[in-house]
Amino acid sequence: MRKGYFALYDALCAGVAGGETIKKTISGERWAFAETASSSGIAMFTAGSTIPPLYPTLEGLSLAEAAQAVKSWNLEEASLGLAAANAFYNTPERIEASGVGVSMDVFYTDGIDLRGKTVALIGHMHGPKGLQEQAKAVYILERAPLEGDYPDSACDWILPQCDLVIITGSSLINKTLPHLLELSQNALTILTGPSVPFCPELLDFGLDRIAGMAVADRGAMRERVEKGLRGSPYGEGMPFLLKRR
């Protein structure tokens, strides 16, 4: 695993290329959205604007410059920065060319034997089908815990004892991902969700799998974000799964 707290973010931003500029951004109730003339990207909208943003607006910036906002400690700006990076990385054309598009039926735990495993879910998510029945123990760790969840401060205690750690892509936005990977060095690790970039370099930082989606129906996704529509955005997307092992 490569070291340096922001090394992962530097690698992510370094891969964003091309001359397109951001035409529109939306900070929605659940999702952040960034759009160029030819592509769109989303990321989980994460509240937090106590720190001044790096840029007055991302609109009009190149994709490469706008992606740098993912490093911002203004988390609302960082949400848009990751959406901008995803407008570059997460396109149907890139996924189709790579051959790593998948069915939602198998998605991120495809081929993993869950039986007897100690599993952590970072973020309140359902997890793969059959997880609760097959796993030895399942811990849900959440910044805003619901009934039965552990607070995210328990990560330092729980993650080193896990066999499988499934991490929400929004950990890229709130900057917890590097520490979570340090704590999960003995586990198989998966970064998943619509916020996750199709960036193979992320696998160099201790991740075993990355699983996200490209925006396939740009108009429907824009409407979802603008109107704060509930439900999964995967209906307007194309899922992908990249594996290291």
Side-chain angles (χ1 to χ4, degrees):
M1 186 193 308
R2 285 190 280 177
K3 303 297 183 180
Y5 195 84
F6 272 95
L8 181 152
Y9 295 90
D10 290 337
L12 173 65
C13 292
V16 179
E20 285 202 286
T21 60
I22 301 294
K23 301 297 184 185
K24 184 179 182 65
T25 62
I26 307 170
S27 294
E29 181 182 346
R30 292 179 53 79
W31 302 103
F33 177 87
E35 186 172 51
T36 72
S38 65
S39 66
S40 302
I42 67 167
M44 182 69 73
F45 177 76
T46 302
S49 57
T50 55
I51 301 299
L54 300 177
Y55 305 98
T57 177
L58 301 192
E59 293 181 359
L61 299 182
S62 69
L63 275 174
E65 188 171 13
Q68 293 288 330
V70 73
K71 301 177 186 178
S72 176
W73 287 102
N74 180 307
L75 301 185
E76 296 177 12
E77 180 183 39
S79 302
L80 290 172
L82 185 54
N86 287 342
F88 171 78
Y89 282 114
N90 295 3
T91 67
E93 294 78 15
R94 284 172 60 89
I95 292 172
E96 288 171 351
S98 71
V100 297
V102 292
S103 164
M104 286 296 293
D105 294 333
V106 295
F107 205 27
Y108 57 87
T109 54
D110 178 35
I112 298 174
D113 187 355
L114 301 172
R115 292 173 296 179
K117 297 290 194 299
T118 298
V119 181
L121 302 174
I122 310 297
H124 193 91
M125 60 181 92
H126 295 296
K129 185 178 180 180
L131 174 63
Q132 298 289 345
E133 295 77 17
Q134 297 179 56
K136 176 183 176 182
V138 178
Y139 298 98
I140 299 176
L141 298 115
E142 172 60 56
R143 181 148 293 186
L146 302 177
E147 186 68 27
D149 294 351
Y150 285 81
D152 63 352
S153 55
C155 284
D156 287 74
W157 172 61
I158 291 174
L159 298 190
Q161 57 184 301
C162 288
D163 304 300
L164 172 63
V165 177
I166 302 170
I167 306 171
T168 174
S170 62
S171 60
L172 278 164
I173 298 166
N174 63 30
K175 314 298 189 293
T176 57
L177 182 58
H179 184 53
L180 294 173
L181 293 176
E182 287 180 351
L183 295 172
S184 306
Q185 292 183 49
N186 298 323
L188 190 148
T189 55
I190 304 173
L191 186 68
T192 187
S195 302
V196 176
F198 180 55
C199 175
E201 287 74 18
L202 294 181
L203 299 175
D204 295 336
F205 293 88
L207 284 162
D208 295 293
R209 296 183 174 193
I210 55 175
M213 53 151 275
V215 175
D217 188 332
R218 298 176 62 194
M221 190 67 76
R222 189 187 311 109
E223 181 180 20
R224 171 180 293 280
V225 177
E226 286 179 327
K227 295 184 177 180
L229 300 179
R230 298 288 179 174
S232 171
Y234 281 92
E236 293 88 53
M238 175 186 294
F240 67 81
L241 173 63
L242 277 174
K243 303 178 185 179
R244 183 162 65 97
R245 61 183 169 103

